[in-house]
Amino acid sequence: MEHLVRSCYKQGGYVFAKKAEEIAREYNISRIARLASNENPSPPSSPAITAAEKVLRQANRYPDERVDVLTRALVAYHGDHSFVTGVGMDGVIETLIRTLVEPGETVAIATPTFSFYHLAAAAQGAKVASVPREKDFSVNAENLTRAGKKAKVTILCSPNNPTGNATPVEVVREVLEGIGGVLFLDNAYVEFSDVDYLPLLKKSDNLILGRTFSKVHSLAGLRIGYAFVPEWLQSYYQRAGTPFTVNSVSAAAAAHALLDREHAMRYIAQVKRWRKRYSDEVKYPVLPSDANFVMVDVSPNTGDQMVEKLARQGVIVRSCRSFAGLPDHYIRVSIGEDWENELFIQAINGL
Ligand SMILES: *Cc1c(COP(=O)(O)O)cnc(C)c1O
């Protein structure tokens, strides 16, 4: 009966990192450094846990469909903007495409980048126009704008996963002003950079900034993300989403995590310290990064070979092979706890 399945799902899906438990078992290693998924290695902040536990006791009831507790926290933190929320930023991306893109219309994507954009667009019948970045992975504004003129949604990730570089505000402004539809700017890692795209929101009605609680806020397991959207889009997004998309536990945890600035600041300081140590101490070329990970050029190894070698030493990193448009000799390494980062440096330099 498999012929019934849509063709977009027969071409493979999202590629997940290997599980720590599997590697521990396979190589008989007790302590695994988990540096493949760009998570904050610290548990969620205590206020977030307390709030989530309290709400869990009322989980017999449907959640607040307007997600007021989180929206209020977002306004308190960021000021008066229009927000939408979803099941991870991935959920936000999926719902936004459903809100805006008719089958056959185009989604333009600056590549190489996060693979979910392509999967989400193709799954909803969009045509995908990939717009390659330059050799140094900077964005060619002219090329992206040209593709974006014919696209309903243009997607740009900054700082970019997996290359780590951020796109300057002026370049984003140029793209915003030249394209035909909306620009979805994925800011999953913006907290680790010095760029600030918020001033662009004031002057444009076609900019969406995607954010997540999965990285700096330590809530990857609760699947919650949000976006700054132009006011005209907010109510349509809500119609396009499933009823009660965001669960009450995640919403409460996120609202409190957002306001625990110290929790975020601690990890941001850790990231800045270790980006420098990675680039100073790793014997392979480490690309400059504005995120909580770095991309490492491991040639003459392939990324897959290096992932395998490091796994034997108890270090899980991400091969960049699944990022379309990227040569096969890169790995992506997160910044975790001190011992994890130290183990990574020691392991890769010993190979
Ligand atoms: C991690 C990540 C996300 C979002 O993840 P969610 O867990 O779905 O919120 C979005 N974009 C990029 C580029 C990411 O790396």
Side-chain angles (χ1 to χ4, degrees):
M1 295 301 278
E2 275 171 55
H3 66 278
L4 297 175
V5 174
R6 291 175 58 204
S7 60
C8 62
Y9 295 118
K10 288 184 175 158
Q11 293 153 17
Y14 189 81
V15 179
F16 295 92
K18 210 163 174 184
K19 296 268 174 298
E21 298 75 21
E22 284 168 32
I23 288 179
R25 212 175 318 119
E26 204 170 319
Y27 301 117
N28 196 21
I29 299 170
S30 55
R31 215 152 76 130
I32 303 289
R34 297 169 61 161
L35 303 179
S37 300
N38 305 336
E39 298 140 332
N40 184 332
S42 300
S45 85
S46 312
I49 293 173
T50 307
E53 282 173 347
K54 196 166 148 212
V55 172
L56 183 58
R57 292 173 203 286
Q58 299 149 31
N60 55 312
R61 300 293 178 191
Y62 276 106
D64 167 20
E65 70 277 11
R66 288 181 319 197
V67 205
D68 267 347
V69 64
L70 178 54
T71 310
R72 276 200 307 271
L74 289 167
V75 169
Y77 187 85
H78 290 298
D80 198 14
H81 296 279
S82 299
F83 296 101
V84 298
T85 52
V87 180
M89 195 204 302
D90 294 346
V92 174
I93 292 165
E94 196 201 37
T95 303
L96 278 169
I97 293 175
R98 182 148 10 95
T99 312
L100 296 169
V101 181
E102 301 280 7
E105 290 182 332
T106 300
V107 172
I109 304 173
T111 58
T113 194
F114 191 50
S115 59
F116 181 69
Y117 312 135
H118 194 128
L119 296 169
Q124 297 188 50
K127 268 201 317 232
V128 174
S130 295
V131 184
R133 289 166 173 260
E134 304 283 11
K135 267 220 159 58
D136 65 355
F137 305 119
S138 61
V139 169
N140 181 314
E142 210 176 301
N143 289 349
L144 188 58
T145 305
R146 193 176 316 115
K149 276 190 202 304
K150 290 174 266 170
K152 209 52 168 308
V153 179
T154 298
I155 304 183
L156 174 58
C157 186
S158 180
N160 188 40
N161 181 359
T163 57
N165 59 312
T167 301
V169 176
E170 307 75 63
V171 173
V172 174
R173 181 179 297 123
E174 190 182 334
V175 172
L176 263 180
E177 287 170 359
I179 58 175
V182 301
L183 177 67
F184 182 83
L185 190 66
D186 181 330
N187 276 174
Y189 301 101
V190 80
E191 292 89 349
F192 307 107
S193 78
D194 297 323
V195 287
D196 180 8
Y197 299 109
L198 294 187
L200 294 175
L201 286 167
K202 283 201 194 70
K203 291 200 206 96
S204 44
D205 60 359
N206 64 340
L207 175 60
I208 301 168
L209 297 181
R211 300 284 179 97
T212 178
F213 285 93
S214 299
K215 309 286 160 55
V216 73
H217 296 297
S218 293
L219 294 178
L222 290 188
R223 312 302 308 122
I224 185 146
Y226 66 101
F228 296 76
V229 294
E231 210 180 334
W232 59 266
L233 182 54
Q234 193 181 40
S235 63
Y236 296 109
Y237 174 96
Q238 276 148 8
R239 278 185 213 173
T242 54
F244 308 109
T245 306
V246 170
N247 76 72
S248 51
V249 176
S250 299
H256 288 79
L258 188 66
L259 302 175
D260 187 349
R261 286 173 195 253
E262 234 171 80
H263 180 93
M265 292 312 294
R266 256 198 315 278
Y267 182 50
I268 291 167
Q270 168 84 347
V271 165
K272 292 190 171 165
R273 201 159 50 239
W274 277 95
R275 279 199 305 232
K276 175 151 176 34
R277 284 199 57 184
Y278 278 1
S279 74
D280 288 347
E281 296 176 31
V282 171
K283 75 177 184 187
Y284 294 94
V286 171
L287 280 79
S289 171
D290 280 301
N292 66 336
F293 58 82
V294 296
M295 194 162 81
V296 184
D297 182 347
V298 294
S299 52
N301 300 274
T302 66
D304 285 5
Q305 286 167 340
M306 187 54 88
V307 165
E308 191 56 35
K309 289 180 188 177
L310 289 170
R312 289 172 200 275
Q313 317 269 331
V315 181
I316 312 182
V317 301
R318 174 78 193 244
S319 167
C320 294
R321 182 171 50 88
S322 61
F323 294 90
L326 201 61
D328 68 358
H329 53 81
Y330 290 105
I331 58 169
R332 192 194 67 198
V333 187
S334 313
I335 290 164
E337 293 185 46
D338 288 345
W339 73 266
E340 295 180 294
N341 309 335
E342 268 154 19
L343 184 60
F344 161 66
I345 293 177
Q346 198 188 344
I348 195 167
N349 285 351
L351 288 171

